[in-house]
Amino acid sequence: MPVSGGARPAPIELPPIALDAELEFSSSALADGLSYWNKRAAGRQMPLLADIRPEEIVSLLPFLSLFEIRTQDGVFSIFPRLAGAKFEEVFGQIHKKELHTVLPPEILERWHGAARTMVEAGVPLRATGQVLHEDRSFITFELLLAPLSRTGDEIDILYLLSDFGMPSLSG
């Protein structure tokens, strides 16, 4: 049906990413990433960004992404300071790019919703679901979203480990 009067089509709404605080990971890389996060937190609410040492987690680097959390004029956003190879295999080159320039708005809002939930909870979360980007809905994901801070005062970095796969055909 044609759109009349220059009206815009309704924005696409995608289901939110499923989040839980149980932290029972299927992926051993994500479980290892959580163990490392807990070790570096050393009993604090969260580790500092400076506590994360890439040389200590070489095997996790393909799974690791670090997103800067920004709130400007009441608008929440995330910026990829580091995008792991696993993440970029699925979503393309996003490293140090403004996400609104490389992702459709509905995908970006889905990511922002998960990141906002982690910030509000202030604790690590497990995320699961299907990739709903481009023609990749056959890919499933499991994520670890955990808070980091530059100063220890506020959550301003998202420590994200991502593992992607294909759903099992057994049933």
Side-chain angles (χ1 to χ4, degrees), residues 128-142:
T128 55
Q130 278 184 277
V131 171
L132 299 178
H133 179 61
E134 296 179 345
D135 294 326
R136 296 185 175 107
S137 61
F138 61 92
I139 301 173
T140 60
F141 64 81
E142 183 177 42

PDB file of all heavy atoms in Angstrom, residues 128-142:
ATOM      1  N   THR A 128      21.177 -13.738  25.631  1.00  0.00           N
ATOM      2  CA  THR A 128      21.034 -14.777  24.617  1.00  0.00           C
ATOM      3  C   THR A 128      19.992 -14.339  23.597  1.00  0.00           C
ATOM      4  O   THR A 128      19.133 -13.510  23.879  1.00  0.00           O
ATOM      5  CB  THR A 128      20.586 -16.118  25.224  1.00  0.00           C
ATOM      6  OG1 THR A 128      19.373 -15.904  25.962  1.00  0.00           O
ATOM      7  CG2 THR A 128      21.648 -16.700  26.148  1.00  0.00           C
ATOM      8  N   GLY A 129      20.092 -14.912  22.420  1.00  0.00           N
ATOM      9  CA  GLY A 129      19.096 -14.629  21.395  1.00  0.00           C
ATOM     10  C   GLY A 129      19.599 -14.961  20.019  1.00  0.00           C
ATOM     11  O   GLY A 129      20.581 -15.688  19.856  1.00  0.00           O
ATOM     12  N   GLN A 130      18.915 -14.391  19.042  1.00  0.00           N
ATOM     13  CA  GLN A 130      19.262 -14.562  17.638  1.00  0.00           C
ATOM     14  C   GLN A 130      19.768 -13.243  17.099  1.00  0.00           C
ATOM     15  O   GLN A 130      19.255 -12.178  17.461  1.00  0.00           O
ATOM     16  CB  GLN A 130      18.030 -14.940  16.825  1.00  0.00           C
ATOM     17  CG  GLN A 130      17.677 -16.387  16.867  1.00  0.00           C
ATOM     18  CD  GLN A 130      16.501 -16.623  15.936  1.00  0.00           C
ATOM     19  OE1 GLN A 130      15.370 -16.408  16.333  1.00  0.00           O
ATOM     20  NE2 GLN A 130      16.782 -17.057  14.720  1.00  0.00           N
ATOM     21  N   VAL A 131      20.741 -13.326  16.226  1.00  0.00           N
ATOM     22  CA  VAL A 131      21.215 -12.142  15.523  1.00  0.00           C
ATOM     23  C   VAL A 131      20.103 -11.729  14.565  1.00  0.00           C
ATOM     24  O   VAL A 131      19.622 -12.544  13.784  1.00  0.00           O
ATOM     25  CB  VAL A 131      22.522 -12.448  14.752  1.00  0.00           C
ATOM     26  CG1 VAL A 131      22.895 -11.283  13.855  1.00  0.00           C
ATOM     27  CG2 VAL A 131      23.640 -12.774  15.731  1.00  0.00           C
ATOM     28  N   LEU A 132      19.686 -10.484  14.642  1.00  0.00           N
ATOM     29  CA  LEU A 132      18.625  -9.992  13.761  1.00  0.00           C
ATOM     30  C   LEU A 132      19.166  -8.908  12.833  1.00  0.00           C
ATOM     31  O   LEU A 132      18.494  -7.946  12.517  1.00  0.00           O
ATOM     32  CB  LEU A 132      17.447  -9.470  14.598  1.00  0.00           C
ATOM     33  CG  LEU A 132      16.798 -10.518  15.501  1.00  0.00           C
ATOM     34  CD1 LEU A 132      15.675  -9.909  16.329  1.00  0.00           C
ATOM     35  CD2 LEU A 132      16.282 -11.700  14.685  1.00  0.00           C
ATOM     36  N   HIS A 133      20.404  -9.077  12.424  1.00  0.00           N
ATOM     37  CA  HIS A 133      21.087  -8.112  11.575  1.00  0.00           C
ATOM     38  C   HIS A 133      21.288  -8.714  10.198  1.00  0.00           C
ATOM     39  O   HIS A 133      21.762  -9.843  10.061  1.00  0.00           O
ATOM     40  CB  HIS A 133      22.440  -7.753  12.204  1.00  0.00           C
ATOM     41  CG  HIS A 133      23.255  -6.779  11.422  1.00  0.00           C
ATOM     42  ND1 HIS A 133      22.834  -5.512  11.150  1.00  0.00           N
ATOM     43  CD2 HIS A 133      24.474  -6.893  10.857  1.00  0.00           C
ATOM     44  CE1 HIS A 133      23.765  -4.876  10.458  1.00  0.00           C
ATOM     45  NE2 HIS A 133      24.775  -5.699  10.259  1.00  0.00           N
ATOM     46  N   GLU A 134      20.902  -7.955   9.180  1.00  0.00           N
ATOM     47  CA  GLU A 134      21.032  -8.372   7.795  1.00  0.00           C
ATOM     48  C   GLU A 134      20.421  -9.755   7.616  1.00  0.00           C
ATOM     49  O   GLU A 134      19.342 -10.020   8.113  1.00  0.00           O
ATOM     50  CB  GLU A 134      22.490  -8.266   7.343  1.00  0.00           C
ATOM     51  CG  GLU A 134      22.973  -6.821   7.359  1.00  0.00           C
ATOM     52  CD  GLU A 134      24.413  -6.636   6.949  1.00  0.00           C
ATOM     53  OE1 GLU A 134      25.176  -7.615   6.906  1.00  0.00           O
ATOM     54  OE2 GLU A 134      24.771  -5.483   6.666  1.00  0.00           O
ATOM     55  N   ASP A 135      21.069 -10.641   6.928  1.00  0.00           N
ATOM     56  CA  ASP A 135      20.515 -11.980   6.688  1.00  0.00           C
ATOM     57  C   ASP A 135      21.150 -13.014   7.601  1.00  0.00           C
ATOM     58  O   ASP A 135      21.432 -14.135   7.185  1.00  0.00           O
ATOM     59  CB  ASP A 135      20.736 -12.375   5.212  1.00  0.00           C
ATOM     60  CG  ASP A 135      19.945 -11.499   4.272  1.00  0.00           C
ATOM     61  OD1 ASP A 135      18.831 -11.090   4.643  1.00  0.00           O
ATOM     62  OD2 ASP A 135      20.446 -11.223   3.161  1.00  0.00           O
ATOM     63  N   ARG A 136      21.352 -12.651   8.841  1.00  0.00           N
ATOM     64  CA  ARG A 136      22.077 -13.540   9.756  1.00  0.00           C
ATOM     65  C   ARG A 136      21.205 -14.069  10.897  1.00  0.00           C
ATOM     66  O   ARG A 136      21.717 -14.434  11.947  1.00  0.00           O
ATOM     67  CB  ARG A 136      23.285 -12.799  10.309  1.00  0.00           C
ATOM     68  CG  ARG A 136      24.275 -12.442   9.211  1.00  0.00           C
ATOM     69  CD  ARG A 136      25.522 -11.831   9.761  1.00  0.00           C
ATOM     70  NE  ARG A 136      26.467 -11.631   8.679  1.00  0.00           N
ATOM     71  CZ  ARG A 136      26.761 -10.438   8.166  1.00  0.00           C
ATOM     72  NH1 ARG A 136      26.211  -9.350   8.644  1.00  0.00           N
ATOM     73  NH2 ARG A 136      27.629 -10.337   7.191  1.00  0.00           N
ATOM     74  N   SER A 137      19.896 -14.133  10.690  1.00  0.00           N
ATOM     75  CA  SER A 137      19.012 -14.567  11.773  1.00  0.00           C
ATOM     76  C   SER A 137      19.181 -16.044  12.121  1.00  0.00           C
ATOM     77  O   SER A 137      18.652 -16.507  13.120  1.00  0.00           O
ATOM     78  CB  SER A 137      17.555 -14.268  11.435  1.00  0.00           C
ATOM     79  OG  SER A 137      17.175 -14.970  10.275  1.00  0.00           O
ATOM     80  N   PHE A 138      19.949 -16.785  11.334  1.00  0.00           N
ATOM     81  CA  PHE A 138      20.235 -18.181  11.645  1.00  0.00           C
ATOM     82  C   PHE A 138      21.334 -18.299  12.712  1.00  0.00           C
ATOM     83  O   PHE A 138      21.582 -19.387  13.227  1.00  0.00           O
ATOM     84  CB  PHE A 138      20.650 -18.948  10.382  1.00  0.00           C
ATOM     85  CG  PHE A 138      21.893 -18.402   9.730  1.00  0.00           C
ATOM     86  CD1 PHE A 138      23.139 -18.915  10.060  1.00  0.00           C
ATOM     87  CD2 PHE A 138      21.815 -17.359   8.815  1.00  0.00           C
ATOM     88  CE1 PHE A 138      24.298 -18.406   9.476  1.00  0.00           C
ATOM     89  CE2 PHE A 138      22.962 -16.852   8.224  1.00  0.00           C
ATOM     90  CZ  PHE A 138      24.201 -17.364   8.552  1.00  0.00           C
ATOM     91  N   ILE A 139      21.973 -17.191  13.050  1.00  0.00           N
ATOM     92  CA  ILE A 139      23.063 -17.196  14.031  1.00  0.00           C
ATOM     93  C   ILE A 139      22.503 -16.888  15.414  1.00  0.00           C
ATOM     94  O   ILE A 139      21.746 -15.937  15.587  1.00  0.00           O
ATOM     95  CB  ILE A 139      24.146 -16.161  13.666  1.00  0.00           C
ATOM     96  CG1 ILE A 139      24.736 -16.463  12.277  1.00  0.00           C
ATOM     97  CG2 ILE A 139      25.243 -16.122  14.725  1.00  0.00           C
ATOM     98  CD1 ILE A 139      25.690 -15.392  11.761  1.00  0.00           C
ATOM     99  N   THR A 140      22.882 -17.697  16.390  1.00  0.00           N
ATOM    100  CA  THR A 140      22.509 -17.439  17.778  1.00  0.00           C
ATOM    101  C   THR A 140      23.682 -16.773  18.491  1.00  0.00           C
ATOM    102  O   THR A 140      24.820 -16.840  18.023  1.00  0.00           O
ATOM    103  CB  THR A 140      22.144 -18.743  18.520  1.00  0.00           C
ATOM    104  OG1 THR A 140      23.278 -19.614  18.510  1.00  0.00           O
ATOM    105  CG2 THR A 140      20.947 -19.427  17.879  1.00  0.00           C
ATOM    106  N   PHE A 141      23.379 -16.130  19.613  1.00  0.00           N
ATOM    107  CA  PHE A 141      24.456 -15.520  20.389  1.00  0.00           C
ATOM    108  C   PHE A 141      24.265 -15.777  21.866  1.00  0.00           C
ATOM    109  O   PHE A 141      23.161 -15.985  22.355  1.00  0.00           O
ATOM    110  CB  PHE A 141      24.582 -14.014  20.122  1.00  0.00           C
ATOM    111  CG  PHE A 141      23.386 -13.198  20.529  1.00  0.00           C
ATOM    112  CD1 PHE A 141      23.196 -12.811  21.858  1.00  0.00           C
ATOM    113  CD2 PHE A 141      22.463 -12.806  19.586  1.00  0.00           C
ATOM    114  CE1 PHE A 141      22.099 -12.054  22.223  1.00  0.00           C
ATOM    115  CE2 PHE A 141      21.364 -12.042  19.943  1.00  0.00           C
ATOM    116  CZ  PHE A 141      21.177 -11.663  21.266  1.00  0.00           C
ATOM    117  N   GLU A 142      25.395 -15.755  22.546  1.00  0.00           N
ATOM    118  CA  GLU A 142      25.455 -15.731  23.999  1.00  0.00           C
ATOM    119  C   GLU A 142      26.491 -14.666  24.322  1.00  0.00           C
ATOM    120  O   GLU A 142      27.567 -14.639  23.718  1.00  0.00           O
ATOM    121  CB  GLU A 142      25.867 -17.092  24.562  1.00  0.00           C
ATOM    122  CG  GLU A 142      25.865 -17.110  26.077  1.00  0.00           C
ATOM    123  CD  GLU A 142      26.199 -18.479  26.653  1.00  0.00           C
ATOM    124  OE1 GLU A 142      27.129 -19.152  26.132  1.00  0.00           O
ATOM    125  OE2 GLU A 142      25.550 -18.867  27.641  1.00  0.00           O
TER     126      GLU A 142
END
